[in-house]
Amino acid sequence: MANIINLLPDNIANQIAAGEVIQRPASAVKELLENAVDAGATEIQLIIRDAGKELVQVIDNGKGMSEADARMCFERHATSKIQTIEDLFQIRTMGFRGEALASIAAVSQVELKTRMRGTDIGTYIEIDNSAVRKQEPCQTAEGTSIAMKNLFFNVPARRNFLKSNAAEMRHIVDEFIRVAMAFPQIQFTLLNNTQQLFYLEKGSLKQRVIAILGQHYNSKLVSVKESTDYMDVHGFVGKPDAAKKTRGDQFFFVNNRFIKSPYLNHAIMTAYADIIPADSFPLYVLFIDLDPGHVDINVHPTKQEIKFDDEKVMYAFVQSAVKHSLAQFNVMPTLNFELDPDIQHLDAVSQPFTAERQEQSATTSLYKTFTQANQAHVIDKSSSNLKHWKDLYDIGKSSSDSSSSYREERETTLTQPLPAVGFESRSSTASVIDERWQDNTIDQKVPVQVHQQFILSQIKSGFILIDQQAAHERILYERYLRALQETPMPAQQSLFPQTLQLPPADAALVMEMLPDLQVLGYDLEPFGSNTFVVRGTPADIQSGNEQASIEGLLEQFKHYSAELKVNKREQLVRSMARNNAIPSGRSLTTKEMQNIIDELFACAMPNAAPGGKYTYISFKLTDLAKMFGG
């Protein structure tokens, strides 16, 4: 019987390994940037073309490589970081497995130029599909330049799974930010199709955070710094007003390595539990430094998921450090002992307490009650207010006796469960609409706003209670959906166009959505690096609120991107509807309420908002009568 088990050829084994390490251009960006950091570079440049599909190039001024090392670095599991098994548990460098360059060379065409410090001649190597095509001496600057070209050229099926250029560019920017945030002492530059997206000077951690996240965070950062023999925590958390609806501005680093840890994230969320809304997420950029022996980073190919030897200690320490910083900077809520302005205007507070007033006060029975020993409980029987207290008791007793039989009757009724009154099913929506049309007096029945959140409207069989925000969200959702599918919405032109400056990640997101945004009524034009000119917005957005509208739209879009598995257009339409809907707490005129009611029941699906929340609940007169025992 023939043997059927064979060793895989090296090029196939490398491609399989590349499937774990290099999933998209951003994966290669991460590995190449980390190699440059490990090389001791003080200046690192990232060059991208065609969202990394055509070119990903990293140039650094690190220590460079010898000719032998330049050739050896592309072999599988070739590394300078580990010599013995013990070294695996004392890792302080970013890379250590020796997989990255071998995987990159297996799925792309690579050009490497490198020269060691103190040498005159460098080395040039060309690799194609794991095979070395050329190796020769060359003139180059000190450090290393490595270019990865035509990603997945030899694996077309993998290339077909890549997303749009804007989407892939967002992932690249994310990886760039994570590395640049961890090393503020290094200068980083990012060029995309010859356009400079980032130029990050060397500086302090706070300067790096503000340069990446935006200047508006300058006054919203709270410093965190706690040290023990076991671990250190330092960095910044955001004040409560910096919290957002998405997790975008949250960074954890362990020994300068970016990680994802739901466990530690929960520790921070509990520290903020009482000072931000339940559906908001705080900003944080936190660095944890501890002995590498207490952490295992070798549990995932991307090294973003790690294990701690004592997670409970980590949780408690991080939570305590954040709480302490918030309290230290007076961010935690405090009791307000200031008097109400209305109380301050009373004569008893504002007028001086003269000797005459003191004498008058001292003669009152109330004053004597609290100043004479053992008299705080004494009631003055001669008080005119208490002379007839017994008569009041007798009247109350007789009333109680006369109503006892009524109480006995009602006891059995009140102890029974109330009849269920709730939202009617989707099939009954038509009947609600029919009743509104059949009721000839509908125009005379003015809707009522309840607690600036709900709209109460009468129908023939009872009434309906409408959630104003959910209802308006449904109306806008269907309006925007029609605009994408049928007729584009006209833009309301601004008298004075505004300039919108966005963080690079958000700017890449706007570029991705730009064609659909223009169909939905946003007149936007790119205007230089991460800047857009807003010339017009949809008609239902208040003039002067253009920037807040677009920023809110981006937050909602990122929220839906994280939570929902729907296409980009659906995410955009839902985000716009949610962002532009009338919020709870806003007072509405009668005309506005009536418009919401009319437009809601003209929708194709009026009973639920896009996210599934009910837009209205109907109450029948028969059910109401049962509730009152009728």
Side-chain angles (χ1 to χ4, degrees):
M1 187 174 180
N3 298 325
I4 60 174
I5 296 178
N6 300 303
L7 287 173
L8 286 173
D10 285 345
N11 63 324
I12 296 179
N14 286 345
Q15 286 191 10
I16 293 173
E20 294 182 352
V21 181
I22 309 301
Q23 301 170 357
R24 57 186 352 135
S27 307
V29 167
K30 171 183 180 294
E31 301 292 349
L32 295 179
L33 288 177
E34 289 180 347
N35 282 348
V37 170
D38 286 342
T42 58
E43 297 177 6
I44 299 175
Q45 185 177 35
L46 172 62
I47 301 172
I48 302 295
R49 281 208 300 265
D50 193 24
K53 300 171 187 175
E54 180 182 342
L55 174 68
V56 172
Q57 184 175 10
V58 172
I59 303 172
D60 68 67
N61 65 344
K63 58 188 178 184
M65 292 183 283
S66 66
E67 181 179 2
D69 285 347
R71 176 65 186 84
M72 183 64 70
C73 70
F74 291 101
E75 298 295 331
R76 287 191 68 196
H77 307 306
T79 178
S80 62
K81 317 294 173 57
I82 296 176
Q83 305 297 329
T84 66
I85 189 65
E86 288 76 17
D87 294 339
L88 192 60
F89 301 99
Q90 293 296 323
I91 297 295
R92 288 197 177 274
T93 54
M94 302 300 291
F96 59 91
R97 293 190 188 127
E99 294 175 305
L101 293 181
S103 297
I104 289 172
V107 291
S108 66
Q109 298 164 330
V110 177
E111 291 183 5
L112 171 70
K113 291 181 181 180
T114 183
R115 177 161 73 93
M116 292 181 68
R117 293 171 184 166
T119 60
D120 297 327
I121 300 295
T123 302
Y124 173 79
I125 295 179
E126 272 186 27
I127 296 182
D128 189 339
N129 195 15
S130 295
V132 177
R133 303 298 182 192
K134 183 185 294 186
Q135 179 173 343
E136 60 187 21
C138 73
Q139 284 291 339
T140 185
E142 286 186 353
T144 301
S145 169
I146 182 166
M148 180 191 78
K149 300 180 178 180
N150 301 321
L151 180 63
F152 298 138
F153 78 99
N154 54 348
V155 196
R158 292 285 304 280
R159 192 177 179 91
N160 291 338
F161 278 99
L162 296 178
K163 305 296 183 184
S164 67
N165 280 9
E168 293 297 340
M169 195 61 208
R170 275 197 296 123
H171 288 289
I172 290 173
V173 168
D174 286 343
E175 294 294 352
F176 177 85
I177 286 174
R178 290 166 182 173
V179 177
M181 190 84 80
F183 298 95
Q185 72 277 14
I186 300 176
Q187 175 187 302
F188 285 89
T189 309
L190 171 56
L191 296 175
N192 177 36
N193 295 333
T194 70
Q195 180 184 0
Q196 183 173 285
L197 293 185
F198 282 96
Y199 179 73
L200 303 174
E201 288 277 12
K202 305 172 188 176
S204 66
L205 176 59
K206 186 172 184 179
Q207 290 172 328
R208 181 59 53 89
V209 171
I210 292 170
I212 290 175
L213 300 184
Q215 189 64 37
H216 59 285
Y217 281 119
N218 191 21
S219 60
K220 297 183 178 181
L221 298 178
V222 175
S223 177
V224 177
K225 189 170 181 62
E226 298 287 346
S227 297
T228 66
D229 293 337
Y230 182 77
M231 61 181 287
D232 297 336
V233 174
H234 71 279
F236 297 94
V237 294
K239 294 180 179 179
D241 60 346
K244 293 185 176 182
K245 299 294 183 183
T246 59
R247 301 176 185 270
D249 298 332
Q250 296 184 337
F251 300 87
F252 258 126
F253 299 90
V254 173
N255 294 343
N256 281 345
R257 184 189 303 278
F258 174 81
I259 67 160
K260 295 178 180 178
S261 175
Y263 190 69
L264 294 182
N265 177 73
H266 187 270
I268 295 182
M269 294 299 292
T270 54
Y272 276 88
D274 298 326
I275 58 176
I276 63 172
D279 60 345
S280 296
F281 301 94
L283 173 152
Y284 58 79
V285 181
L286 291 179
F287 291 78
I288 299 173
D289 296 322
L290 76 166
D291 186 336
H294 295 306
V295 58
D296 183 4
I297 58 177
N298 193 30
V299 295
H300 192 273
T302 65
K303 299 184 285 288
Q304 290 183 2
E305 296 177 16
I306 64 176
K307 294 284 187 184
F308 299 103
D309 63 352
D310 194 336
E311 290 190 330
K312 290 182 179 179
V313 169
M314 302 291 295
Y315 184 100
F317 191 78
V318 169
Q319 183 189 53
S320 175
V322 173
K323 276 190 172 183
H324 181 251
S325 295
L326 293 174
Q328 187 177 2
F329 286 85
N330 297 321
V331 175
M332 296 294 281
T334 58
L335 292 175
N336 185 4
F337 291 100
E338 294 182 3
L339 282 176
D340 187 280
D342 294 334
I343 297 177
Q344 291 178 337
H345 289 105
L346 294 176
D347 290 345
V349 177
S350 61
Q351 298 296 326
F353 194 40
T354 62
E356 183 182 354
R357 289 191 174 194
Q358 291 179 30
E359 187 178 346
Q360 290 175 355
S361 299
T363 59
T364 63
S365 59
L366 183 63
Y367 177 84
K368 292 176 182 178
T369 299
F370 284 97
T371 54
Q372 295 176 10
N374 303 319
Q375 295 298 306
H377 63 285
V378 171
I379 298 175
D380 186 357
K381 295 181 180 179
S382 64
S383 173
S384 59
N385 292 332
L386 299 175
K387 284 180 180 179
H388 305 291
W389 69 271
K390 194 172 186 304
D391 295 340
L392 291 172
Y393 172 75
D394 291 339
I395 292 171
K397 187 174 184 302
S398 63
S399 298
S400 176
D401 292 341
S402 64
S403 63
S404 61
S405 60
Y406 170 75
R407 282 203 311 273
E408 289 171 2
E409 270 181 37
R410 295 292 295 159
E411 275 180 0
T412 54
T413 305
L414 293 178
T415 54
Q416 296 299 320
L418 291 174
V421 179
F423 173 69
E424 303 223 344
S425 65
R426 172 71 183 91
S427 60
S428 67
T429 303
S431 65
V432 174
I433 298 173
D434 290 342
E435 286 185 37
R436 296 187 72 252
W437 282 105
Q438 291 169 7
D439 196 341
N440 297 326
T441 61
I442 195 73
D443 292 335
Q444 302 171 14
K445 295 165 183 172
V446 178
V448 177
Q449 191 177 23
V450 181
H451 290 290
Q452 297 182 333
Q453 184 174 359
F454 303 102
I455 300 171
L456 191 150
S457 178
Q458 184 173 321
I459 59 175
K460 192 173 182 180
S461 65
F463 67 88
I464 55 175
L465 197 62
I466 300 171
D467 184 317
Q468 67 186 44
Q469 182 173 353
H472 197 221
E473 194 176 330
R474 163 54 62 180
I475 294 166
L476 294 178
Y477 173 79
E478 295 201 6
R479 185 184 301 171
Y480 297 148
L481 207 57
R482 284 194 300 273
L484 284 178
Q485 295 173 348
E486 301 168 9
T487 308
M489 295 180 64
Q492 175 181 257
Q493 295 299 316
S494 301
L495 188 59
F496 301 102
Q498 292 190 6
T499 301
L500 180 62
Q501 180 78 28
L502 294 173
D506 286 350
L509 184 57
V510 170
M511 287 300 298
E512 180 183 359
M513 299 189 298
L514 196 56
D516 288 336
L517 286 173
Q518 291 170 342
V519 171
L520 292 167
Y522 283 97
D523 188 355
L524 296 175
E525 288 183 15
F527 188 69
S529 177
N530 307 321
T531 306
F532 297 85
V533 175
V534 185
R535 302 189 185 278
T537 54
D540 49 10
I541 293 176
Q542 187 177 358
S543 179
N545 200 33
E546 293 87 351
Q547 179 166 344
S549 169
I550 294 173
E551 290 175 349
L553 169 61
L554 290 172
E555 285 304 305
Q556 286 295 340
F557 185 86
K558 287 185 282 189
H559 168 71
Y560 282 126
S561 296
E563 301 294 332
L564 298 175
K565 301 300 181 185
V566 295
N567 62 52
K568 291 288 190 292
R569 277 196 158 194
E570 175 72 11
Q571 290 176 21
L572 176 58
V573 172
R574 290 192 185 194
S575 301
M576 278 192 64
R578 185 67 174 272
N579 188 57
N580 297 335
I582 293 171
S584 297
R586 177 177 154 185
S587 182
L588 301 177
T589 65
T590 301
K591 184 177 181 181
E592 287 175 327
M593 288 188 282
Q594 194 60 58
N595 286 341
I596 287 178
I597 296 170
D598 293 340
E599 290 187 48
L600 175 64
F601 288 102
C603 288
M605 187 178 175
N607 61 325
K613 182 180 180 181
Y614 294 150
T615 55
Y616 71 88
I617 298 174
S618 62
F619 295 81
K620 290 188 176 294
L621 289 174
T622 52
D623 291 333
L624 293 173
K626 290 177 184 177
M627 291 180 70
F628 286 97

Coordinates of all heavy atoms in Angstrom, one line a residue, residues 480-516:
Y480 N -34.6 58.3 3.3 CA -33.2 58.2 2.8 C -33.0 57.0 1.9 O -32.3 57.0 0.9 CB -32.2 58.1 4.0 CG -32.2 59.4 4.8 CD1 -31.9 59.3 6.2 CD2 -32.4 60.6 4.3 CE1 -31.9 60.4 7.0 CE2 -32.4 61.8 5.1 CZ -32.1 61.6 6.5 OH -32.1 62.8 7.3
L481 N -33.7 55.9 2.2 CA -33.7 54.7 1.4 C -34.2 55.0 0.0 O -33.6 54.5 -1.0 CB -34.4 53.6 2.1 CG -34.0 52.1 1.8 CD1 -32.5 51.9 2.2 CD2 -34.9 51.1 2.6
R482 N -35.3 55.7 -0.1 CA -35.9 56.1 -1.4 C -34.9 56.9 -2.2 O -34.7 56.8 -3.4 CB -37.2 56.8 -1.2 CG -38.4 55.9 -0.8 CD -39.7 56.6 -1.0 NE -39.8 57.8 -0.2 CZ -40.2 57.9 1.0 NH1 -40.6 56.7 1.6 NH2 -40.3 59.0 1.7
A483 N -34.1 57.8 -1.5 CA -33.2 58.7 -2.1 C -32.1 57.8 -2.8 O -31.6 58.1 -3.9 CB -32.6 59.7 -1.2
L484 N -31.6 56.8 -2.1 CA -30.5 55.9 -2.6 C -31.0 55.1 -3.8 O -30.3 54.8 -4.7 CB -30.0 55.1 -1.5 CG -29.0 55.7 -0.5 CD1 -28.6 54.7 0.5 CD2 -27.8 56.3 -1.2
Q485 N -32.3 54.7 -3.7 CA -32.8 53.7 -4.7 C -33.5 54.4 -5.9 O -33.5 53.8 -6.9 CB -33.8 52.8 -4.0 CG -33.2 51.9 -2.9 CD -34.2 51.1 -2.1 OE1 -35.4 51.4 -2.2 NE2 -33.7 50.1 -1.4
E486 N -34.0 55.6 -5.6 CA -34.8 56.2 -6.7 C -34.3 57.6 -7.0 O -33.5 57.8 -7.9 CB -36.3 56.3 -6.3 CG -36.9 54.9 -6.0 CD -38.3 55.0 -5.3 OE1 -38.8 56.1 -5.2 OE2 -38.8 53.9 -4.9
T487 N -34.7 58.6 -6.2 CA -34.4 60.0 -6.5 C -33.5 60.6 -5.5 O -33.8 60.7 -4.3 CB -35.7 60.9 -6.6 OG1 -36.7 60.2 -7.4 CG2 -35.5 62.3 -7.1
P488 N -32.3 61.1 -5.9 CA -31.4 61.7 -4.9 C -32.0 62.9 -4.3 O -32.9 63.6 -4.8 CB -30.2 62.2 -5.8 CG -30.3 61.3 -7.0 CD -31.7 61.0 -7.3
M489 N -31.6 63.2 -3.0 CA -32.2 64.3 -2.3 C -31.4 65.6 -2.6 O -30.2 65.5 -2.7 CB -32.1 64.0 -0.8 CG -32.9 62.8 -0.3 SD -32.7 62.6 1.5 CE -33.4 64.1 2.2
P490 N -32.2 66.7 -2.7 CA -31.5 67.9 -3.0 C -30.8 68.4 -1.8 O -31.2 68.2 -0.6 CB -32.6 68.9 -3.4 CG -33.8 68.3 -2.7 CD -33.6 66.8 -2.7
A491 N -29.6 69.1 -2.0 CA -28.9 69.6 -0.8 C -29.3 71.0 -0.5 O -29.6 71.8 -1.5 CB -27.4 69.6 -1.1
Q492 N -29.4 71.4 0.7 CA -29.7 72.7 1.2 C -28.4 73.5 1.2 O -27.6 73.2 2.1 CB -30.4 72.7 2.5 CG -30.6 74.0 3.1 CD -31.3 73.9 4.5 OE1 -32.5 74.1 4.7 NE2 -30.5 73.5 5.5
Q493 N -28.2 74.4 0.3 CA -26.9 75.1 0.1 C -26.7 76.0 1.3 O -27.6 76.8 1.7 CB -26.8 75.8 -1.2 CG -26.8 74.9 -2.4 CD -25.7 73.9 -2.5 OE1 -24.5 74.3 -2.2 NE2 -26.0 72.7 -2.8
S494 N -25.5 76.0 1.8 CA -25.1 76.9 2.9 C -24.7 78.3 2.4 O -24.0 78.3 1.3 CB -23.9 76.3 3.7 OG -24.3 75.1 4.2
L495 N -25.1 79.3 3.0 CA -24.7 80.7 2.6 C -23.2 80.9 2.7 O -22.6 81.5 1.9 CB -25.5 81.7 3.4 CG -25.3 83.2 3.0 CD1 -25.8 83.4 1.6 CD2 -26.1 84.1 4.0
F496 N -22.7 80.3 3.8 CA -21.2 80.4 4.0 C -20.7 79.0 4.2 O -20.9 78.4 5.3 CB -20.9 81.2 5.3 CG -21.4 82.6 5.2 CD1 -22.6 83.0 5.9 CD2 -20.8 83.6 4.4 CE1 -23.0 84.3 5.8 CE2 -21.2 84.9 4.3 CZ -22.4 85.2 5.0
P497 N -20.1 78.4 3.2 CA -19.5 77.0 3.3 C -18.6 76.9 4.5 O -17.8 77.8 4.8 CB -18.8 76.8 2.0 CG -19.5 77.8 1.0 CD -19.8 79.0 1.8
Q498 N -18.6 75.7 5.2 CA -17.8 75.5 6.3 C -16.7 74.5 5.9 O -16.8 73.7 5.1 CB -18.6 74.9 7.5 CG -19.6 75.8 8.1 CD -20.2 75.3 9.3 OE1 -19.8 74.2 9.8 NE2 -21.2 76.0 9.9
T499 N -15.5 74.7 6.7 CA -14.4 73.7 6.5 C -14.4 72.7 7.6 O -14.5 73.1 8.8 CB -13.1 74.5 6.5 OG1 -13.1 75.5 5.4 CG2 -11.9 73.5 6.3
L500 N -14.4 71.5 7.3 CA -14.5 70.4 8.3 C -13.2 69.7 8.4 O -12.7 69.0 7.4 CB -15.6 69.4 7.9 CG -15.9 68.3 8.9 CD1 -16.3 68.7 10.2 CD2 -16.9 67.3 8.3
Q501 N -12.5 69.8 9.5 CA -11.2 69.1 9.8 C -11.5 67.8 10.6 O -12.1 67.8 11.6 CB -10.3 70.0 10.6 CG -8.9 69.3 10.8 CD -8.0 69.4 9.6 OE1 -8.1 70.2 8.8 NE2 -7.1 68.4 9.6
L502 N -11.1 66.6 10.0 CA -11.4 65.4 10.7 C -10.1 64.6 11.0 O -9.1 64.8 10.3 CB -12.2 64.5 9.8 CG -13.6 65.0 9.5 CD1 -14.3 64.1 8.4 CD2 -14.5 65.0 10.7
P503 N -10.1 63.7 12.0 CA -9.0 62.8 12.2 C -8.8 62.0 11.0 O -9.8 61.7 10.3 CB -9.4 62.0 13.4 CG -10.4 62.8 14.1 CD -11.1 63.6 13.0
P504 N -7.5 61.5 10.7 CA -7.3 60.8 9.4 C -8.2 59.6 9.3 O -8.7 59.3 8.2 CB -5.8 60.4 9.6 CG -5.2 61.4 10.4 CD -6.3 61.8 11.4
A505 N -8.5 58.8 10.4 CA -9.3 57.6 10.2 C -10.7 58.0 9.8 O -11.4 57.3 9.0 CB -9.3 56.8 11.6
D506 N -11.3 59.1 10.4 CA -12.6 59.5 10.0 C -12.6 60.1 8.6 O -13.6 60.0 7.8 CB -13.1 60.6 11.0 CG -13.5 60.0 12.3 OD1 -13.6 58.8 12.4 OD2 -13.8 60.8 13.3
A507 N -11.5 60.8 8.2 CA -11.5 61.3 6.8 C -11.5 60.2 5.8 O -12.2 60.3 4.8 CB -10.2 62.2 6.7
A508 N -10.8 59.1 6.1 CA -10.8 57.9 5.2 C -12.2 57.3 5.1 O -12.7 56.9 4.1 CB -9.8 56.9 5.7
L509 N -12.9 57.4 6.3 CA -14.3 56.9 6.3 C -15.2 57.7 5.4 O -16.1 57.2 4.7 CB -14.8 56.8 7.7 CG -16.2 56.2 8.0 CD1 -16.2 54.8 7.4 CD2 -16.5 56.2 9.5
V510 N -15.1 59.1 5.5 CA -15.9 60.0 4.7 C -15.6 59.8 3.2 O -16.5 59.8 2.4 CB -15.7 61.4 5.1 CG1 -16.3 62.4 4.1 CG2 -16.2 61.7 6.5
M511 N -14.4 59.6 2.9 CA -14.0 59.3 1.5 C -14.7 58.1 1.0 O -15.1 58.0 -0.2 CB -12.5 59.2 1.3 CG -11.8 60.6 1.4 SD -12.3 61.8 0.2 CE -11.8 61.0 -1.3
E512 N -14.8 57.1 1.8 CA -15.4 55.8 1.4 C -16.9 56.0 1.2 O -17.5 55.5 0.2 CB -15.2 54.8 2.5 CG -15.8 53.4 2.2 CD -15.7 52.4 3.4 OE1 -15.0 52.8 4.4 OE2 -16.1 51.3 3.2
M513 N -17.5 56.9 2.0 CA -19.0 57.1 1.9 C -19.4 58.2 1.0 O -20.6 58.5 0.8 CB -19.5 57.3 3.3 CG -19.3 56.2 4.3 SD -20.3 56.4 5.8 CE -19.5 57.9 6.4
L514 N -18.4 59.0 0.4 CA -18.7 60.2 -0.2 C -19.8 60.1 -1.3 O -20.7 60.9 -1.4 CB -17.4 60.8 -0.8 CG -17.4 62.3 -1.2 CD1 -17.9 63.2 0.0 CD2 -16.1 62.8 -1.7
P515 N -19.7 59.1 -2.2 CA -20.7 59.1 -3.3 C -22.2 58.9 -2.7 O -23.1 59.6 -3.2 CB -20.4 57.8 -4.1 CG -18.9 57.7 -3.9 CD -18.7 58.1 -2.5
D516 N -22.3 58.1 -1.7 CA -23.7 57.9 -1.1 C -24.1 59.2 -0.3 O -25.3 59.5 -0.3 CB -23.7 56.7 -0.2 CG -23.6 55.4 -1.0 OD1 -24.1 55.4 -2.2 OD2 -23.2 54.4 -0.4

